[in-house]
Amino acid sequence: MKRLLGSVMDKVGAMVDRVLTGGVLLKIAAVFLVLIILYYPIGMVISNKVDDDIAYEPPRTEGGSASVDMAAGLIQREVEVNGWVANNPFFFPSGALDNMPEFQMGILYALSRYALEMSDQIGRTRGSSQVDKDLDLAAGRLKLPGTVWYIDFSTSFWPQSTSEDQYMAARRALLAYNTRLAKGDAVFEARADNLQASLDRFAKDLGSASALLDRQIRDGGFFTFKDDNVFYATKGRLYGYAMILKAMGEDFANVIAERQLDSAWAQMVQSLEQAAEMDPLVVFNGTPGGLFPPSHLADQGFYLLRSRTQMNEVIAILQK
């Protein structure tokens, strides 16, 4: 009898142990599930930052170019301060963001266009002279895609240089050029023809951006997931041009004053800034001119085309 009772007690104890163990595991699983559910939304809120501060001022190189310092400063701000998110894989909360990476890549696109102008025109005496090695390096690195992470199994099983590595290398090259410029060992040709040629290419690029907006306005719905992608990519590009052109106004101050462009230049930059500062809570792609819902893409396109028209007016004056 005692043996039978002991056997029963052992079985009951084993059952209790299993229940308790199962309960603990269930609690652990529940806590883990809650953490997973909260991981992405909380992480996305913490990571998300569309930094459209038009009052931003980068560290300055005494005797150097203001626009080069601006480009270098924006690269560091987006890569190191705000954190580059366009290449983050799915296990990072920021990997689920779309507006911030579109905005950041829009900025870098504008900076890459500027770096190309510096390499091809402004940073050399004439078209037949040697290309500045630092500007050439910067222009090349800034053209690379912003979505490269440490590992990409589609190309290699080995670690690779990330987008951040490439962009920070471009920043170092820009600062190296500016340091040499301050010492008189580099060229910055602040001529009217260089300014006119650069503005002409910037204006053509804005024309390309307006075509993208127009296509999305026509082909999208009043609310689709692609609407905000196009909006923030364009916003980033316009912000990049606004900041660079504001700084170029300092670099080409003599040309602007000589051609009496102060007012026209300020209006052009202001239109770019107004477009860059647009920040709707939700991006709607309503019928242009309709009462509801609004068409944020059309509104953005208005300021884009206005700034492009003003840019062409400045170009026309520089050509005289």
Side-chain angles (χ1 to χ4, degrees):
M1 186 68 178
K2 290 182 179 179
R3 185 180 300 172
L4 179 61
L5 183 60
S7 177
V8 171
M9 292 299 294
D10 289 341
K11 290 181 179 178
V12 171
M15 290 176 61
V16 171
D17 288 341
R18 285 198 295 272
V19 170
L20 289 174
T21 303
V24 171
L25 291 176
L26 186 61
K27 290 177 182 177
I28 293 174
V31 171
F32 183 73
L33 181 61
V34 170
L35 289 176
I36 288 296
I37 293 173
L38 295 177
Y39 174 70
Y40 279 97
I42 293 177
M44 289 168 66
V45 170
I46 294 172
S47 303
N48 187 48
K49 185 174 184 181
V50 176
D51 196 346
D52 56 4
D53 180 15
I54 60 172
Y56 169 75
E57 289 289 344
R60 297 297 293 266
T61 304
E62 186 176 356
S65 159
S67 57
V68 170
D69 279 337
M70 178 62 75
L74 288 173
I75 293 170
Q76 182 184 35
R77 190 192 73 178
E78 294 305 317
V79 172
E80 290 192 335
V81 178
N82 295 337
W84 189 257
V85 299
N87 61 347
N88 283 353
F90 70 93
F91 46 82
F92 286 96
S94 53
L97 295 172
D98 58 353
N99 294 344
M100 181 179 176
E102 292 289 351
F103 177 75
Q104 287 185 319
M105 289 194 289
I107 293 176
L108 263 293
Y109 185 88
L111 297 185
S112 72
R113 293 295 311 168
Y114 164 75
L116 191 61
E117 292 304 311
M118 286 297 302
S119 175
D120 286 354
Q121 297 287 337
I122 302 172
R124 56 198 298 192
T125 305
R126 292 290 176 183
S128 59
S129 64
Q130 185 177 3
V131 176
D132 186 278
K133 57 182 178 60
D134 287 319
L135 292 178
D136 190 42
L137 188 153
R141 298 296 175 91
L142 290 176
K143 285 192 298 184
L144 296 174
T147 55
V148 180
W149 195 56
Y150 293 101
I151 298 175
D152 182 1
F153 291 122
S154 65
T155 58
S156 172
F157 287 95
W158 296 99
Q160 57 190 337
S161 294
T162 63
S163 300
E164 294 99 314
D165 294 335
Q166 302 292 348
Y167 296 156
M168 291 304 290
R171 174 182 178 271
R172 290 191 295 271
L174 289 171
L175 292 177
Y177 161 81
N178 230 14
T179 299
R180 291 190 292 107
L181 180 63
K183 295 178 180 178
D185 297 330
V187 174
F188 189 98
E189 288 289 344
R191 302 194 313 264
D193 60 330
N194 277 343
L195 181 58
Q196 178 247 309
S198 296
L199 287 177
D200 184 61
R201 279 183 277 272
F202 292 163
K204 286 182 171 62
D205 184 52
L206 290 181
S208 174
S210 70
L212 181 62
L213 278 175
D214 178 63
R215 184 163 60 249
Q216 186 60 28
I217 290 170
R218 287 185 289 104
D219 297 343
F222 81 92
F223 175 76
T224 68
F225 290 111
K226 191 176 179 182
D227 293 334
D228 60 340
N229 292 345
V230 172
F231 179 89
Y232 279 95
T234 306
K235 175 184 171 80
R237 191 184 302 196
L238 292 170
Y239 176 81
Y241 279 132
M243 302 304 286
I244 285 295
L245 286 170
K246 182 164 60 174
M248 287 181 72
E250 296 182 39
D251 292 333
F252 289 86
N254 291 338
V255 172
I256 292 172
E258 180 185 337
R259 300 297 180 92
Q260 299 180 345
L261 283 168
D262 302 80
S263 177
W265 189 273
Q267 290 174 3
M268 174 188 69
V269 171
Q270 183 181 43
S271 294
L272 288 167
E273 290 176 342
Q274 288 175 318
E277 286 185 308
M278 287 184 63
D279 187 25
L281 182 62
V282 178
V283 175
F284 286 110
N285 184 18
T287 303
L291 180 62
F292 185 83
S295 178
H296 294 119
L297 297 181
D299 292 344
Q300 187 182 55
F302 166 77
Y303 286 111
L304 186 155
L305 292 176
R306 177 176 171 81
S307 62
R308 183 170 180 253
T309 299
Q310 292 165 336
M311 198 174 292
N312 284 325
E313 289 173 353
V314 171
I315 292 169
I317 296 172
L318 288 170
Q319 287 175 331
K320 295 178 180 178

